[in-house]
Amino acid sequence: MRLLTVATLILLLKDCRFQDVHLGKQKIRVVYARNPPDAFANCLRFPQLQPNLACPFPGYTLEMMGQIAAYAGYDVEPVLSQNIVGSLDWGTRLSNDTWVGVLGMLANDTADVACLMYQRTDLRDQYFDFSYPLTNVQPIYVVREKTQDIGSILWNAFKPYSTVTWFVIVGSFITQVLVLIGISRVEKDLGMRKRFRPFEVFWQCIQLQLDEHSEDMNFFTIAGNIVMFFCALLQSGFLIKLYEGLLLSALLAPPSTNPFKNADGLIQLIGKGQYHLVTNYMGNWYFDDLVNSNDPHFVSLRAATANNPVVLAKSVSDALDMVESGPYVYPIQEDSLAMQMSKERCNLVYVSDGLPQVGSYFVFQNKSRFLKSMNTAIIMNSDMIQHTFSKYFREGYKIGNIPKCTQIVDTSNPEIVSKPLNMASTVGIFTLGAIGIAISTVVFFVEIYIFLHNRVLESHRKTRAAMAKNL
Ligand SMILES: *[C@@H]1O[C@H](CO)[C@@H](O)[C@H](O)[C@H]1NC(C)=O
Ligand SMILES: *[C@@H]1O[C@H](CO)[C@@H](O)[C@H](O)[C@H]1NC(C)=O
Ligand SMILES: *[C@@H]1O[C@H](CO)[C@@H](O)[C@H](O)[C@H]1NC(C)=O
């Protein structure tokens, strides 16, 4: 009997302690919005903070927020955002200084924190508190891939050197030919050479250039031999060998389908009006910085967009439709819904060169009392955060619907894919050969014509001379 009482007492005490802790737990109001991959909308329950068998990928921000709030000892009170997937308003400031969207819920004290990853901007900094950064994400431009036109295919054979280099090569060749012709002329005058034949020297130089040194190419002055030596060493030897090597790698490299190489290339195209920026959300950090930032990238982009304003689409899929059908560039991030949805389309390419990574943060109300303990929780859970991020974005799990494209263009991987040389890569070389044969055929007929013409003239002259004689 006494034993039972003690047991009941202990049980009661335990219950009491549990109750105490439970009562003492502070509530934190968290905005949850259906926005894959932050929070997938296809799990049975929403929000689901931990992965389970039925729902292995509930959303990366959901998992992080669940863990961090639990570590900080808070009870999560969900505040659901009633948005349709693809048209979430992350937070926009109206002209009368009120915020709408998710940030509006923080500003009017409907919630304490949003379960979404934000980037810092000066404007947001004035109105809200940011946590420690959780991850770094890569900004990316999505754009329709460039179809290869016949011009770029023909250009293949010239790819190893830039246009300027080609001009310098031709220029230096012509200079050397002229110098050698001059030297041979002087040699004739000095009596070292029997005949002065500029064309012969020219063809000999071409032979030397093509690594086919002619036996008759002799110079009698030291200066002439020195020029020929350098001609053979640099112009023909070095440049031709280099060309052979570079041509092979240029032909083997997969053809680039990006309309621009990096952020600077994009700014040029925007400045010329050939491409337009499109977004579904103007309050995005990228467009906020476009208006306010002093970063050189944004300053030059601002100048470029002065006459080419940013186009606003209704939703993420509308923006992607525009990118797919026209000259539009959509700046997004690797962790965004737009990235998720663009993976379901086939003819898009991604350019991230020249765009530095940006930090991702949780946003709290201004002067939030939760900030300190949540920051501690973020630091203590950095392993879990890293692990979750790489689980969703770096390890290649299929977390969305991915279509079967005939060829997935992955420009982030510069590794040269070994493949047999196809017609598209080599057609330039054959075309050059064909042009050469065509020119030589034309020249051949011109030469025959001139030869026959001269013969006719000659026979006329002879007949006239004979007639004069007879007369
Ligand atoms: C600000 O403007 C919006 C519409 O533009 C309006 O709905 C809202 O009530 C205004 N807020 C204040 C505080 O005036
Ligand atoms: C707070 O702002 C959100 C988003 O603009 C709005 O939906 C909600 O009705 C507002 N709540 C109050 C109490 O004003
Ligand atoms: C937010 O807090 C800062 C001080 O930390 C203050 O200067 C600023 O005015 C506050 N912003 C708003 C919108 O209340």
Side-chain angles (χ1 to χ4, degrees):
M1 183 64 191
R2 192 173 291 164
L3 210 70
L4 204 71
T5 327
V6 171
T8 325
L9 210 74
I10 288 174
L11 265 179
L12 268 175
L13 269 176
K14 253 181 106 177
D15 205 34
C16 229
R17 246 184 58 216
F18 178 68
Q19 279 275 319
D20 249 15
V21 171
H22 193 73
L23 282 178
K25 250 187 169 179
Q26 275 189 312
K27 286 208 156 145
I28 184 167
R29 296 162 302 168
V30 181
V31 184
Y32 291 102
R34 293 173 171 84
N35 187 63
D38 285 304
F40 283 89
N42 53 5
C43 291
L44 215 54
R45 210 161 55 93
F46 185 86
Q48 178 174 319
L49 302 189
Q50 255 136 30
N52 61 17
L53 261 185
C55 187
F57 294 100
Y60 89 102
T61 317
L62 275 186
E63 286 192 37
M64 290 182 188
M65 179 58 91
Q67 170 84 9
I68 288 165
Y71 183 92
Y74 294 129
D75 230 5
V76 170
E77 183 186 312
V79 180
L80 295 190
S81 155
Q82 305 299 334
N83 66 291
I84 307 164
V85 171
S87 38
L88 171 69
D89 183 358
W90 290 63
T92 311
R93 195 181 71 139
L94 302 179
S95 49
N96 61 6
D97 216 20
T98 47
W99 285 81
V100 291
V102 175
L103 290 180
M105 292 176 166
L106 302 185
N108 67 12
D109 198 26
T110 314
D112 298 301
V113 60
C115 180
L116 290 165
M117 291 287 177
Y118 282 84
Q119 274 68 44
R120 266 182 116 123
T121 68
D122 290 346
L123 181 70
R124 288 174 180 171
D125 253 346
Q126 285 169 26
Y127 289 85
F128 305 98
D129 270 350
F130 282 82
S131 70
Y132 283 142
L134 285 100
T135 58
N136 277 336
V137 292
Q138 178 67 52
I140 292 169
Y141 296 122
V142 189
V143 66
R144 184 174 57 171
E145 72 181 359
K146 191 179 63 177
T147 49
Q148 280 212 311
D149 53 354
I150 190 78
S152 70
I153 289 175
L154 288 186
W155 208 234
N156 254 346
F158 294 100
K159 263 201 299 196
Y161 294 132
S162 71
T163 324
V164 176
T165 316
W166 277 117
F167 275 118
V168 172
I169 289 175
V170 171
S172 105
F173 177 73
I174 291 174
T175 317
Q176 281 166 3
V177 169
L178 291 180
V179 168
L180 285 178
I181 288 176
I183 288 177
S184 69
R185 175 71 223 241
V186 173
E187 284 178 353
K188 164 80 175 37
D189 289 350
L190 293 180
M192 293 166 160
R193 192 181 268 274
K194 286 202 198 92
R195 290 157 304 181
F196 170 55
R197 288 183 167 171
F199 271 108
E200 199 175 288
V201 175
F202 173 70
W203 285 116
Q204 282 169 345
C205 279
I206 290 212
Q207 279 179 341
L208 182 63
Q209 175 74 52
L210 300 179
D211 230 359
E212 302 281 341
H213 179 220
S214 154
E215 294 283 314
D216 306 331
M217 193 176 189
N218 293 318
F219 283 88
F220 305 97
T221 51
I222 295 176
N225 281 316
I226 290 177
V227 174
M228 196 175 77
F229 170 73
F230 281 106
C231 211
L233 182 68
L234 301 176
Q235 183 83 18
S236 65
F238 189 59
L239 285 176
I240 290 292
K241 292 275 165 11
L242 207 59
Y243 176 74
E244 284 166 3
L246 289 173
L247 182 63
L248 184 65
S249 55
L251 293 183
L252 283 177
S256 169
T257 49
N258 298 358
F260 50 89
K261 273 200 199 116
N262 51 28
D264 291 338
L266 169 76
I267 292 174
Q268 276 180 12
L269 289 178
I270 300 245
K272 285 190 217 150
Q274 291 176 1
Y275 275 84
H276 316 283
L277 282 180
V278 61
T279 183
N280 64 307
Y281 169 48
M282 276 294 184
N284 181 293
W285 66 273
Y286 191 80
F287 294 96
D288 197 329
D289 277 352
L290 179 57
V291 179
N292 298 313
S293 171
N294 288 325
D295 182 274
H297 170 72
F298 290 107
V299 172
S300 36
L301 188 58
R302 197 178 308 149
T305 48
N307 296 318
N308 185 2
V310 180
V311 182
L312 186 63
K314 280 202 205 82
S315 66
V316 173
S317 57
D318 279 1
L320 286 173
D321 285 346
M322 289 172 76
V323 168
E324 240 183 348
S325 61
Y328 292 96
V329 180
Y330 187 17
I332 59 170
Q333 288 143 234
E334 60 179 327
D335 67 336
S336 63
L337 172 64
M339 189 70 194
Q340 198 78 30
M341 290 173 76
S342 72
K343 288 265 181 66
E344 296 167 15
R345 308 180 184 219
C346 290
N347 52 355
L348 301 177
V349 289
Y350 307 92
V351 182
S352 60
D353 209 19
L355 283 169
Q357 297 204 340
V358 289
S360 292
Y361 308 78
F362 283 140
V363 189
F364 292 79
Q365 286 184 10
N366 205 14
K367 301 255 181 30
S368 174
R369 64 199 157 98
F370 298 100
L371 191 61
K372 204 166 157 238
S373 50
M374 289 291 269
N375 274 343
T376 313
I378 288 172
I379 293 169
M380 299 309 287
N381 286 288
S382 55
D383 275 353
M384 181 270 172
I385 291 168
Q386 280 307 319
H387 166 78
T388 309
F389 190 76
S390 58
K391 180 175 105 178
Y392 277 83
F393 300 108
R394 299 278 151 84
E395 279 166 23
Y397 287 121
K398 290 190 170 61
I399 55 176
N401 311 322
I402 293 173
K404 289 199 181 75
C405 296
T406 48
Q407 179 196 6
I408 292 177
V409 184
D410 185 5
T411 49
S412 60
N413 184 3
E415 191 180 302
I416 290 177
V417 187
S418 175
K419 59 173 172 67
L421 285 179
N422 58 8
M423 208 47 218
S425 320
T426 47
V427 73
I429 296 172
F430 291 122
T431 315
L432 271 187
I435 292 174
I437 288 175
I439 291 177
S440 77
T441 313
V442 171
V443 170
F444 184 53
F445 281 114
V446 170
E447 278 177 334
I448 288 177
Y449 173 77
I450 291 175
F451 177 73
L452 291 179
H453 191 70
N454 282 350
R455 221 166 60 174
V456 170
L457 284 185
E458 179 75 0
S459 66
H460 279 194
R461 205 176 53 76
K462 272 189 187 148
T463 14
R464 243 183 264 131
M467 272 162 73
K469 210 172 168 189
N470 285 349
L471 275 171

